[in-house]
Amino acid sequence: MIKKKKKSGGYTEPEYSETDEYVGENGYSEDELFSENAPEGYEDEYYPEDDYPEEEPKGKKKVKGRKEKKKKAEKEKTPKEKPEKKKGRFRKFKIALITTLVVLLLIFAGIVAGGYYVTVSDLNFPKVYVDGVFVGGMDSAQTVKALEESGWDDRTGLALRVKLPNGVSFKLDRCDAGAIYTKDAAVKMAYRYGHSENIFENLLRYLENLIMPVDVSEQYLRLNQDYIREKAQAGVDKFLKKTEDHGYNVDRKAGELTMVKGAGEMQIDVDSLADQIALALEHDLKVLEYDHIDNELKMPDFDAMHEELSVEPKDAEYDEEFNVTDEVIGCEFSVDKAKEIWENAEPGEKISIPLEIHNPEVTGEYLRSLIYRDVLGSQTTYYDGSTDERINNIKLATEKIDGLVMMPGDVFSYNETVGQRTEEAGFQPAGAYADGEVVQEVGGGICQVSSTLYCATMYSQLETVSRTNHYFKVGYLDFGMDATVSWPKPDFKFKNNRDYPIKIHAFCNDEDSSLTIEILGTNLDGSYVEITHNQLVVKGLPEYPEVVTGYGVTATRHVYDKDGNEIATIKEPYGIYNHHKDYIDQQIENIYGVTENTEE
């Protein structure tokens, strides 16, 4: 039993026994002192024996209330080590947090470093392919070499050829179509994979590529649909242009009627063609044959064709003005055979229908080829030694007759063609024969042109209508070959008595001082002319009958066939050529010894 022991200072120290419970001051037990029914004025504190104050409080001890004692007792019951336990737990949490942050920072730094490394690397990712060609871990030069060794240039250079009906075809560039990269683009795309500006994305792709290979062509390459449709449209336009409806063509030489089946009717769907081109590119085809026509074709009206073409042959003709009417070629074909051939042909195919051709004997082409085909006759004379005035007149008259065309039956008049010789017309005074005298006359020398033309007409077998020889023999032509002219007469005239037109071709050559006139026409039988002349002595002075005053001459044309057989003779107008007075006087003196001549 605990006994109370009172100490000085108002504090009573309890006395204990081994069996008794603790008895507080005034005989209250511990449970009573710390219960809700404890008497007022007692302290609520309980001090262990070793926690008693060393000194007793001085003065009268203030007695605390029961509630205060209870609160204090509850606080006393809380272990003093509890704050220290909370402080230790916070320190551990802080250390764990810092460690975690450090680890995260190290991981992030590693990610950044890894992403930066793979981003700035000049190598492709380790398992990269380009259209099946391995280029992993290679730089640009190595990538180029790998592509070249795989035959990349040959693949990019091989175009896709698209064949449409009727022989129409076109090509597509595989690179432009997006079916394959160019070599430069392939190198760039191989490196581009995993080398974007986002280093985190690049690192992720790198890690993925370590496990899973990537073909950049399969992942990024896409067909250029706009290019494909553009080329398809161009091909269709080409096809439609080639298969425009030009009707049918008759080749009489080959004996066939040709046409294109469905010309002007066939339609090709551009979108469908573009889709087929895309499939061909995806399957790496070299040639695409597209023969699908989107509409039904209508058979031509072969009965109407037969009615138009089935005719009898007829020779070409020409009228009096030599306007040629072309020949008519006879033609016949089987309508049933034509229909059969058409039905068995493919759309766009050029078909040939056999014709029975009956050609006429004379064609328009042949008649036209006859006109001015041959040189019927020609003559050349020379004017060397002539004055400039005479040469001027010769050239002016030559220009006026050059190119003149005469139809069959036409009559040529030299004076009408050349016109009156005047200075206003460009002619100049020159030597000429007038009434047996040599005088200066405007237009002197033009008789050389008329005479040269006369010779050409005789060789051309043209009919002479009017011709007069010179009073004296001319120096540039033989007897009977000349034709003198003056205004208004005498005139030189001839007629085109042949069956075809003729043309006069007249020109001067200053190099040899020559004048040439050709008559162009048609010589069907190959005949030709040679000219001879009979020369008779003329004695025209009754007082001196032995004196020769001139010659009477008749020119004769001898016509021969192509084999040299003479088939005709034509006599030209008779003419007398007088001797000059000096020559006659010399004869009188020689024969009769008289020096004075009686006038002719």
Side-chain angles (χ1 to χ4, degrees):
M1 179 177 183
I2 300 173
K3 295 181 179 182
K4 294 184 288 182
K5 183 180 179 181
K6 194 171 182 177
K7 286 187 176 181
S8 61
Y11 178 77
T12 304
E13 183 179 354
E15 294 180 356
Y16 296 94
S17 68
E18 295 180 357
T19 59
D20 292 338
E21 293 180 358
Y22 169 76
V23 179
E25 190 175 2
N26 297 323
Y28 291 101
S29 67
E30 181 181 0
D31 294 333
E32 291 175 336
L33 290 176
F34 292 100
S35 67
E36 292 180 359
N37 299 319
E40 294 182 4
Y42 285 91
E43 296 181 359
D44 292 333
E45 295 185 39
Y46 168 75
Y47 296 101
E49 189 176 349
D50 53 349
D51 288 336
Y52 281 20
E54 295 180 357
E55 295 182 1
E56 294 181 0
K58 296 180 178 181
K60 187 177 179 180
K61 183 180 180 180
K62 186 179 178 179
V63 179
K64 296 181 180 181
R66 185 172 49 184
K67 292 182 179 181
E68 291 179 357
K69 289 180 181 179
K70 182 178 179 181
K71 290 180 180 180
K72 188 174 181 179
E74 289 177 353
K75 288 181 179 181
E76 290 293 341
K77 288 181 180 180
T78 303
K80 294 182 179 181
E81 292 78 5
K82 190 173 182 178
E84 293 181 0
K85 186 177 181 180
K86 289 183 179 180
K87 183 176 181 181
R89 289 179 180 175
F90 176 75
R91 184 180 300 112
K92 290 180 181 179
F93 173 76
K94 184 176 181 181
I95 292 172
L97 178 61
I98 292 173
T99 301
T100 302
L101 291 175
V102 169
V103 172
L104 291 176
L105 286 174
L106 290 175
I107 294 173
F108 180 75
I111 292 173
V112 171
Y116 177 78
Y117 172 77
V118 298
T119 299
V120 300
S121 173
D122 59 354
L123 302 179
N124 303 330
F125 274 17
K127 294 184 179 180
V128 171
Y129 292 79
V130 181
D131 203 18
V133 179
F134 179 73
V135 293
M138 299 180 185
D139 59 20
S140 59
Q142 293 171 331
T143 302
V144 169
K145 183 178 180 181
L147 294 175
E148 290 176 346
E149 290 177 349
S150 71
W152 195 271
D153 292 334
D154 293 335
R155 294 173 62 191
T156 56
L158 183 63
L160 170 65
R161 178 181 292 275
V162 181
K163 293 183 177 181
L164 302 180
N166 204 38
V168 176
S169 65
F170 60 95
K171 295 180 179 180
L172 288 91
D173 185 282
R174 293 181 182 274
C175 295
D176 293 340
I180 191 172
Y181 289 122
T182 63
K183 184 167 60 179
D184 291 341
V187 173
K188 292 179 180 178
M189 291 305 299
Y191 178 75
R192 180 180 176 183
Y193 179 77
H195 291 87
S196 68
E197 295 181 356
N198 191 326
I199 62 174
F200 302 108
E201 180 182 346
N202 295 340
L203 180 60
L204 178 61
R205 288 194 173 184
Y206 182 85
L207 296 175
E208 290 176 348
N209 189 238
L210 289 175
I211 302 171
M212 184 180 300
V214 172
D215 194 315
V216 294
S217 293
E218 295 178 359
Q219 188 160 1
Y220 299 114
L221 189 61
R222 297 294 180 269
L223 291 179
N224 186 342
Q225 298 295 342
D226 291 339
Y227 171 80
I228 293 173
R229 197 180 193 285
E230 178 184 345
K231 296 296 288 188
Q233 183 67 63
V236 171
D237 292 342
K238 182 179 178 181
F239 169 78
L240 295 178
K241 183 174 181 61
K242 187 173 182 180
T243 57
E244 289 177 342
D245 188 8
H246 298 294
Y248 59 87
N249 179 60
V250 175
D251 188 340
R252 291 175 172 82
K253 291 183 178 180
E256 61 180 8
L257 182 153
T258 58
M259 65 174 60
V260 175
K261 181 175 181 178
E265 296 182 66
M266 294 178 289
Q267 299 293 328
I268 295 179
D269 185 72
V270 176
D271 293 332
S272 176
L273 175 59
D275 291 341
Q276 292 300 312
I277 292 174
L279 290 175
L281 290 169
E282 291 175 356
H283 290 83
D284 203 23
L285 298 182
K286 297 178 181 179
V287 178
L288 170 64
E289 295 189 3
Y290 188 90
D291 56 1
H292 182 69
I293 302 300
D294 295 318
N295 58 312
E296 294 185 2
L297 304 181
K298 182 180 179 181
M299 180 180 292
D301 189 349
F302 287 110
D303 292 316
M305 291 183 190
H306 182 270
E307 183 177 351
E308 180 180 355
L309 294 176
S310 181
V311 293
E312 295 295 326
K314 184 179 180 181
D315 289 339
E317 301 175 339
Y318 64 90
D319 58 19
E320 59 183 10
E321 297 298 327
F322 216 80
N323 297 312
V324 177
T325 301
D326 285 324
E327 75 283 3
V328 176
I329 299 176
C331 178
E332 182 64 41
F333 71 91
S334 170
V335 173
D336 292 336
K337 183 66 174 178
K339 292 180 179 179
E340 179 184 351
I341 294 174
W342 190 90
E343 288 176 348
N344 293 332
E346 295 294 329
E349 181 182 348
K350 183 178 180 180
I351 63 176
S352 176
I353 299 170
L355 300 176
E356 295 180 14
I357 301 297
H358 305 284
N359 292 311
E361 294 182 0
V362 181
T363 66
E365 181 182 1
Y366 170 72
L367 290 181
R368 293 185 185 92
S369 70
L370 296 178
I371 303 176
Y372 320 131
R373 182 190 68 182
D374 306 310
V375 177
L376 302 177
S378 68
Q379 181 65 52
T380 298
T381 60
Y382 296 89
Y383 51 81
D384 50 324
S386 298
T387 63
D388 291 341
E389 292 77 10
R390 187 174 186 277
I391 294 173
N392 171 78
N393 297 336
I394 290 174
K395 289 184 176 180
L396 187 56
T398 299
E399 291 174 358
K400 289 181 178 294
I401 68 171
D402 180 44
L404 179 69
V405 172
M406 296 176 61
M407 302 303 293
D410 287 352
V411 175
F412 171 87
S413 168
Y414 188 86
N415 280 342
E416 289 179 5
T417 304
V418 176
Q420 186 175 359
R421 278 67 76 182
T422 63
E423 292 185 1
E424 291 77 12
F427 293 96
Q428 299 177 9
Y433 293 142
D435 298 327
E437 299 289 336
V438 179
V439 298
Q440 292 293 313
E441 184 180 84
V442 175
I446 65 166
C447 289
Q448 183 168 346
V449 179
S450 61
S451 298
T452 306
L453 177 61
Y454 173 54
C455 290
T457 62
M458 285 194 292
Y459 285 116
S460 302
Q461 304 181 51
L462 299 176
E463 179 183 344
T464 301
V465 176
S466 175
R467 172 257 177 183
T468 302
N469 62 284
H470 285 80
Y471 188 83
F472 302 111
K473 179 183 179 298
V474 295
Y476 48 81
L477 282 170
D478 201 353
F479 289 105
M481 306 291 286
D482 62 304
T484 187
V485 292
S486 186
W487 187 267
K489 59 181 180 179
D491 193 7
F492 167 58
K493 297 180 180 180
F494 69 91
K495 179 181 179 180
N496 177 14
N497 58 316
R498 303 183 71 97
D499 295 332
Y500 293 89
I502 62 171
K503 180 188 290 186
I504 298 174
H505 182 210
F507 57 94
C508 294
N509 186 349
D510 289 335
E511 292 184 2
D512 58 0
S513 299
S514 66
L515 164 65
T516 300
I517 297 179
E518 298 175 338
I519 305 297
L520 306 179
T522 305
N523 186 1
L524 293 178
D525 57 11
S527 60
Y528 61 94
V529 171
E530 292 182 357
I531 299 175
T532 62
H533 61 271
N534 295 325
Q535 184 173 316
L536 302 176
V537 174
V538 175
K539 298 178 179 181
L541 298 175
E543 299 88 349
Y544 307 104
E546 299 298 326
V547 175
V548 178
T549 58
Y551 296 99
V553 179
T554 300
T556 302
R557 288 187 264 177
H558 302 270
V559 183
Y560 298 91
D561 63 20
K562 62 180 180 178
D563 298 323
N565 301 311
E566 188 173 359
I567 57 177
T569 58
I570 303 172
K571 290 185 178 297
E572 291 299 305
Y574 174 79
I576 295 176
Y577 295 90
N578 296 286
H579 287 311
H580 289 275
K581 183 176 181 299
D582 293 343
Y583 182 74
I584 293 175
D585 289 344
Q586 185 65 46
Q587 289 185 79
I588 293 174
E589 182 179 356
N590 292 338
I591 297 173
Y592 297 98
V594 180
T595 57
E596 190 171 333
N597 183 23
T598 303
E599 292 199 11
E600 299 177 5

